[in-house]
């Protein structure tokens, strides 16, 4: 499906970080303070992120709404899709169509979703028509995906120009595609360069984590580096259950400086299957305090 073509780009990809760097990554979240409800009763974006980090599927759906409508965050097609994917993983929805169909018809991201879905069709008149519509759509996200289609068809120069332009115009999708293509062109990509992409689009931290799991020329894996990138993804509620389990196993083996018992409890709750998560959240006074 179209969504998987985007979200799972990182799944096709195959510098070390100090203990202090790991500790600073954790401290940055803790120092921000406990999120609270707004005065008008609406949920603060940080409160939603914290609930999502405990595995709350409904929080992911609300975060998708925030990215869809630009509430407390930049309106972002990729951010919306990422939160839909997380909500589906937690069992909050059956599939992305369940969410997409309820988006108001006046929302341009709904139109973009269905347009990109057409691009998944085999080569033919329908796909050519979809590319023409993308070219007529001036949004950065449409340009980013049009560029990716050009790259796939063999016109890398034109495609990369469109993707780079889309990224510079603020498209998170463009930034992710740029990072993906950069990795594809370089057998051993510069992680510092990828961190520049990640600063704009945090999903790239997952890509960096996957890259860091590859053994170096000596057959070694810097697991501290993997842990650092997964913790950065976790800050943005982008961690997968598998990645949460990896962090827990790593912490059990060697320890992560600054990871508290509360952090471990949260990761354990997140790593459980959806039907086990609700009970873990109800039992947590920490999560109750931010709902």
């Amino acid at each position: 499906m179209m969504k998987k073509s985007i979200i799972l780009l990182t799944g096709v990809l195959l510098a070390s970080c100090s203990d202090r760097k790991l500790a600073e990554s954790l401290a940055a979240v803790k120092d921000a303070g406990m999120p609270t409800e707004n005065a008008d009763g609406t949920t603060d974006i940080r409160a939603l992120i914290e609930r999502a980090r405990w595995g709350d599927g409904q929080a992911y759906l609300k975060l998708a709404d925030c990215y869809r409508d630009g509430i407390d965050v930049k309106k972002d097609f990729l951010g919306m899709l990422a939160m839909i994917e997380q909500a589906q993983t937690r069992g909050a929805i059956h599939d992305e169509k369940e969410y997409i169909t309820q988006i108001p018809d006046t929302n341009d991201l709904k139109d973009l979703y269905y347009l990109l879905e057409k691009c998944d069709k085999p080569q033919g008149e329908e796909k050519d028509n979809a590319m023409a519509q993308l070219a007529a759509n001036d949004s950065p996200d449409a340009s980013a995906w049009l560029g990716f289609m050009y790259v796939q068809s063999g016109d890398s120069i034109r495609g990369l120009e469109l993707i780079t332009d889309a990224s510079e115009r603020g498209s998170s999708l463009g930034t992710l595609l740029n990072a993906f293509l950069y990795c594809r062109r370089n057998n051993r990509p510069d992680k510092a360069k990828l961190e520049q992409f990640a600063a704009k689009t945090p999903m790239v931290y997952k890509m960096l984590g996957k890259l860091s799991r590859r053994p170096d020329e000596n057959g070694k894996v810097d697991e501290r580096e993997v842990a650092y990138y997964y913790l950065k993804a976790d800050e943005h509620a982008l961690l997968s259950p598998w990645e949460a389990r990896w962090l827990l196993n790593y912490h059990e083996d060697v320890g992560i400086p600054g990871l508290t018992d509360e952090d471990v409890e949260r990761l354990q709750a997140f790593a459980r299957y959806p039907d086990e998560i609700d009970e873990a959240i109800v039992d947590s006074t920490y999560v109750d305090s931010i709902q």
Side-chain angles (χ1 to χ4, degrees):
M1 304 179 76
M2 181 277 301
K3 176 262 301 180
K4 290 185 179 178
S5 297
I6 300 172
I7 299 298
L8 298 183
L9 279 177
T10 57
V12 304
L13 301 175
L14 295 179
S16 73
C17 300
S18 65
D19 287 342
R20 180 178 60 83
K21 195 172 185 182
L22 290 178
E24 289 173 350
S25 176
L26 288 167
V29 179
K30 296 187 177 82
D31 290 346
M34 184 71 71
T36 58
E37 263 195 356
N38 296 325
D40 61 1
T42 59
T43 307
D44 184 89
I45 189 71
R46 283 197 55 79
L48 286 176
I49 290 173
E50 291 302 320
R51 285 171 52 188
R53 293 173 75 218
W54 278 83
D56 186 336
Q58 293 302 317
Y60 278 118
L61 287 178
K62 290 181 180 179
L63 284 169
D65 291 346
C66 291
Y67 283 109
R68 181 192 74 197
D69 299 325
I71 301 172
D72 290 337
V73 290
K74 181 188 74 172
K75 187 174 180 177
D76 184 26
F77 182 69
L78 181 62
M80 179 188 75
L81 288 181
M83 294 301 107
I84 294 172
E85 170 77 3
Q86 293 287 73
Q88 183 179 342
T89 299
R90 312 320 296 178
I93 53 174
H94 178 66
D95 57 34
E96 78 273 11
K97 285 292 184 64
E98 184 178 335
Y99 179 90
I100 296 296
T101 54
Q102 58 84 36
I103 297 177
D105 291 338
T106 54
N107 192 293
D108 58 326
L109 296 192
K110 185 174 187 177
D111 292 335
L112 182 61
Y113 176 90
Y114 286 119
L115 178 55
L116 265 60
E117 193 173 52
K118 290 181 182 179
C119 298
D120 271 355
K121 305 296 182 183
Q123 291 290 345
E125 183 176 343
E126 187 172 1
K127 189 161 190 172
D128 291 341
N129 181 53
M131 291 186 70
Q133 290 181 60
L134 283 175
N137 189 321
D138 191 46
S139 77
D141 288 326
S143 295
W145 199 250
L146 178 63
F148 189 60
M149 293 183 71
Y150 272 119
V151 171
Q152 287 183 309
S153 67
D155 190 351
S156 296
I157 294 177
R158 176 58 176 155
L160 288 170
E161 286 177 351
L162 286 168
I163 291 170
T164 300
D165 175 69
S167 178
E168 291 174 350
R169 287 198 288 152
S171 169
S172 294
L173 176 57
T175 300
L176 179 65
L177 291 172
N178 218 349
F180 166 67
L181 294 172
Y182 171 75
C183 285
R184 197 166 75 175
R185 294 192 306 269
N186 298 272
N187 184 45
R188 287 286 176 184
D190 181 357
K191 289 175 184 173
K193 173 68 173 177
L194 285 173
E195 285 191 5
Q196 294 176 17
F197 290 128
K200 294 167 56 177
T201 302
M203 192 177 290
V204 178
Y205 284 120
K206 292 167 70 69
M207 187 183 296
L208 279 161
K210 191 171 184 68
L211 281 167
S212 297
R213 297 206 316 270
R214 293 173 59 185
D216 62 18
E217 58 275 10
N218 298 314
K220 303 290 186 181
V221 174
D222 188 343
E223 293 189 331
R224 287 183 301 176
E225 186 175 74
V226 179
Y228 169 73
Y229 290 131
Y230 282 168
L231 287 170
K232 293 297 289 183
D234 177 42
E235 290 177 20
H236 299 274
L238 289 169
L239 207 64
S240 73
W242 184 92
E243 290 158 348
R245 287 190 286 272
W246 188 96
L247 279 172
L248 287 167
N249 290 335
Y250 175 74
H251 181 60
E252 183 177 348
D253 289 342
V254 300
I256 298 176
L259 198 70
T260 66
D261 291 342
E262 185 174 81
D263 294 318
V264 171
E265 181 184 359
R266 176 178 58 78
L267 288 169
Q268 288 173 337
F270 186 87
R272 294 191 183 103
Y273 290 103
D275 60 353
E276 296 175 303
I277 289 171
D278 291 340
E279 182 178 352
I281 291 178
V282 169
D283 288 344
S284 170
T285 55
Y286 176 78
V287 174
D288 289 343
S289 69
I290 62 175
Q291 288 180 332

